[in-house]
């Protein structure tokens, strides 16, 4: 398979290796549940891998990339985590492809590898070692893209990286001032109107009665996750002792990222209180309800909440990746406007609670994302990244 490159585009297009390094650097800053960073990225370079990718996409292209779910990094304690993991991968994928397009690498074809596809086909789960011996055994391939040199998208790679770097999950207090309705309408518009086959339902809660209802729901039900032994044990495994520990591990979050600055004695007390064994014992006297009430109080003082949902209750892999792409665009644009987000995933991770939330707030479809939106009063710490977050595997 030969690599084609038209001369009139050559000056405007980076070499693919350079473009991929830039794009992967921005995409590695993507948000993910528990900051677990469950994605993997492969570049087809061998004859076998390129042939498989060409067959899957139906395109004879210059380059092929494969998005994967790294099963060694995924969350598994709750069934809802399966959706969260693929949405997280979709966020990463969207930022990667936008940054490649900004450098003149255009998507020629995409193939989502649905789990119910032919198990004997190359590169699909169940078909042996996908894409040959160089493919990591712990990776489940999710999507293949064929890329060719093309016109620049009009975005600046530096702007995309700057916004990815500035993006924060800010769990602290937000200003009480309402977010301007015009700004919310701008955030509701997709980045590429009409370009998706899988629309995402997006709604902002700004009326006081809706915000009060959501805060009351959090107060009543958010304690479920704190009291769920398997779920809390998994969550606690991502709580890092201090900044040095988080830096060394490159994932998870510190107590300061969860609760704000604190003294050394309070940090030690919180570490003890949040330990799974202690949490189980304290749960018998209602400690999980105290934590839920604290979260509800923060929600109650938030000027806006955003919800996103799939059209149906059983989203396909393509819909989940598209949901991640919509979330990536929203968060990127919100960051450019000086807004912060704080996902309240705890009310979506149990199907009965999610269904109840959808009914009480009249949310259409299957809600997959709920977050506070507002202007944070102080900067939030940057999430840590593992040492290999911006690298890819050639196979």
């Amino acid at each position: 398979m030969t690599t084609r490159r038209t001369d009139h585009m050559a000056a405007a297009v980076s070499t693919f290796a350079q473009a991929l390094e830039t794009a992967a650097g921005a995409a590695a800053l993507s948000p993910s549940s528990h900051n677990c960073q469950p994605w993997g990225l492969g570049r087809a370079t061998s004859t076998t891998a390129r042939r498989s990718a060409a067959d899957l996409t139906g395109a004879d292209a210059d380059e092929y990339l494969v998005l994967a779910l790294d099963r060694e990094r995924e969350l598994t304690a709750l069934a809802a985590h399966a959706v969260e993991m693929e949405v997280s991968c979709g966020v990463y994928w969207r930022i990667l492809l936008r940054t490649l397009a900004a450098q003149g690498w255009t998507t020629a074809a995409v193939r989502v590898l649905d789990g119910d596809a032919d198990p004997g086909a190359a590169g699909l789960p169940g078909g042996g070692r996908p894409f040959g011996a160089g493919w990591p055994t712990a990776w489940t391939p999710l999507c293949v893209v064929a890329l060719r040199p093309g016109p620049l998208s009009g975005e600046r790679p530096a702007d995309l990286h700057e916004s990815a770097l500035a993006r924060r999950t800010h769990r602290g207090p937000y200003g009480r001032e309402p977010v301007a309705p015009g700004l919310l309408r701008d955030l509701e518009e997709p980045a590429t109107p009409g370009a998706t086959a899988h629309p995402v339902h997006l709604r902002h809660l700004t009326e006081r009665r809706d915000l009060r209802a959501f805060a009351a729901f959090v107060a009543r039900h958010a304690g479920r996750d704190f009291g769920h032994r398997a779920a809390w044990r998994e969550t606690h495994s991502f709580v890092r002792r201090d900044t040095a520990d988080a830096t060394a591990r490159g994932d998870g979050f510190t107590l300061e990222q969860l609760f704000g600055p604190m003294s050394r004695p309070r940090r030690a007390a919180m570490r003890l209180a949040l330990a799974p064994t202690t949490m189980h014992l304290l749960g018998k006297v209602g400690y999980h309800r105290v934590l839920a009430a604290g979260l509800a109080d923060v929600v109650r003082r938030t000027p806006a909440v955003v919800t996103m949902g799939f059209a149906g209750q059983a989203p396909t892999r393509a819909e989940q990746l598209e949901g991640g792409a919509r979330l990536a665009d929203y968060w990127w644009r919100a960051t450019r406007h000086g807004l912060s987000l704080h996902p309240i995933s705890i009310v979506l991770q149990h199907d009965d609670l999610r269904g109840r939330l959808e009914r009480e707030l009249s949310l259409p479809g299957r809600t997959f994302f709920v977050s506070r939106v507002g202007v944070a009063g102080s900067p939030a710490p940057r999430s840590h990244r593992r040492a290999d977050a911006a690298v890819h595997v050639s196979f």
Side-chain angles (χ1 to χ4, degrees), residues 272-323:
L272 176 62
L274 295 177
T277 300
T278 310
M279 183 71 79
H280 176 63
L281 294 174
L282 291 176
K284 297 179 183 300
V285 295
Y287 184 56
H288 59 289
R289 287 191 291 273
V290 173
L291 293 174
L295 178 58
D297 187 54
V298 172
V299 169
R300 193 174 293 110
R301 292 178 282 114
T302 296
V305 167
V306 62
T307 71
M308 296 186 189
F310 303 114
Q313 289 293 322
T316 63
R317 175 165 290 164
E319 290 173 309
Q320 292 174 54
L321 294 178
E322 186 62 41

Side-chain angles (χ1 to χ4, degrees), residues 34-36 75 171 226 231-243 245-247 249 251-259 262 267 270-276 279 384:
H34 294 12
N35 190 25
C36 67
L75 306 180
R171 299 175 177 88
F226 295 118
W232 183 251
R233 188 179 299 110
E234 184 174 62
T235 297
H236 188 265
S237 72
F238 284 91
V239 177
R240 301 298 172 232
R241 183 177 61 255
D242 50 31
T243 301
D245 184 33
T247 301
R249 293 172 179 256
D251 61 8
F253 34 75
T254 64
L255 290 176
E256 282 78 7
Q257 287 175 299
L258 292 174
F259 302 107
M262 61 183 68
R267 186 188 303 119
M270 289 298 296
R271 284 181 57 197
L272 176 62
L274 295 177
M279 183 71 79
H384 297 273

